[in-house]
Amino acid sequence: MKHAHPTSAGRRHREYIDYRAYITRQNPEKSLTKGFRRGSGRNAFGRITTRHKGTGVKRRFRFIDFMYSKKDVPAKVISCEYDPNRTGFIALVVYKDGEKKYILLPQEIRIGQSILTSNKAPMEPGNRTILKRIPVGMKIYNIELVQGKGAVLVRSAGVTAEVIAQEGIHTTVRLPSGELRKIYSENWASIGTVSNPEHHF
């Protein structure tokens, strides 16, 4: 966090995130983005139904890989980037076969490290495996709720879930809200905590 100079009463206690300490690349990978129009308070007919909503700054949508479809292929993290469409940072990874994808960046991963999505992946931050292999007490994120549908739970900045118990075909997980939830043990989850925890302060 950076502290503003106390040049006024309003700035005296102001703190903000020092993005330069994290971000290593300014422009996104063009092949993994697309342009899109924001609603700006309009309905399906294009008529303004909610006032006071401007269009805001122009954004490009980044395609984040929540499916993690490339199994047993190691990937190397080559950059950490800011995504205006979500709270956590994203990482550009390149797989061993040359394909590039965006993923949610965990706190513990640094540039140059490798990640792996596999049934036999080691229990290290950034790796992704099935829930029944993850030991009790380990922190996880990007949890799959329906098999084959991709990660839908625990994706916001700085959040993490915890494996509480392994019970037959179900894994009990404590979500960031405190809710205990039983999830099918063959579903996938990533190990670690989502990056940018300062977002909530």
Side-chain angles (χ1 to χ4, degrees):
M1 302 292 289
K2 293 189 71 174
H3 300 269
H5 290 289
T7 54
S8 69
R11 287 175 58 84
R12 182 170 300 278
H13 301 291
R14 186 187 172 203
E15 295 180 347
Y16 53 94
I17 299 170
D18 183 13
Y19 286 104
R20 290 178 298 179
Y22 299 99
I23 305 304
T24 61
R25 178 173 170 172
Q26 299 298 324
N27 298 319
E29 183 72 19
K30 194 170 184 181
S31 62
L32 298 174
T33 65
K34 72 169 184 176
F36 74 104
R37 289 187 62 186
R38 301 175 68 188
S40 305
R42 289 170 165 78
N43 63 9
F45 297 101
R47 303 185 184 118
I48 295 178
T49 55
T50 303
R51 296 178 298 153
H52 315 119
K53 283 196 173 183
T55 55
V57 68
K58 185 181 287 188
R59 300 177 177 181
R60 289 193 66 81
F61 183 80
R62 280 82 164 163
F63 293 104
I64 310 298
D65 181 22
F66 290 114
M67 294 296 295
Y68 290 85
S69 54
K70 295 184 78 69
K71 306 289 194 301
D72 301 305
V73 182
K76 184 178 180 181
V77 178
I78 59 176
S79 70
C80 170
E81 301 181 22
Y82 170 76
D83 186 352
N85 305 299
R86 64 191 69 252
T87 55
F89 296 131
I90 60 175
L92 181 63
V93 299
V94 56
Y95 286 88
K96 198 171 184 180
D97 58 6
E99 185 176 0
K100 293 180 179 179
K101 288 191 176 185
Y102 277 128
I103 64 167
L104 278 186
L105 180 70
Q107 286 185 29
E108 303 87 352
I109 289 291
R110 297 294 178 263
I111 306 303
Q113 289 185 244
S114 293
I115 61 169
L116 180 65
T117 300
S118 172
N119 280 325
K120 301 177 182 178
M123 298 298 149
E124 297 175 358
N127 288 348
R128 188 168 177 81
T129 188
I130 54 178
L131 283 168
K132 68 180 181 182
R133 292 190 62 242
I134 301 176
V136 173
M138 185 156 281
K139 305 293 186 181
I140 58 175
Y141 70 103
N142 258 0
I143 305 170
E144 188 177 52
L145 196 57
V146 179
Q147 198 169 19
K149 294 292 186 179
V152 294
L153 292 178
V154 194
R155 306 193 318 194
S156 181
V159 299
T160 186
E162 183 181 355
V163 177
I164 298 300
Q166 299 285 0
E167 302 170 316
I169 63 170
H170 292 100
T171 299
T172 303
V173 176
R174 179 185 286 123
L175 300 179
S177 64
E179 175 190 355
L180 295 181
R181 191 153 190 170
K182 283 188 176 181
I183 303 173
Y184 184 47
S185 295
E186 294 292 334
N187 290 357
W188 294 74
S190 299
I191 298 170
T193 305
V194 185
S195 55
N196 196 19
E198 292 89 356
H199 173 80
H200 298 292
F201 294 111

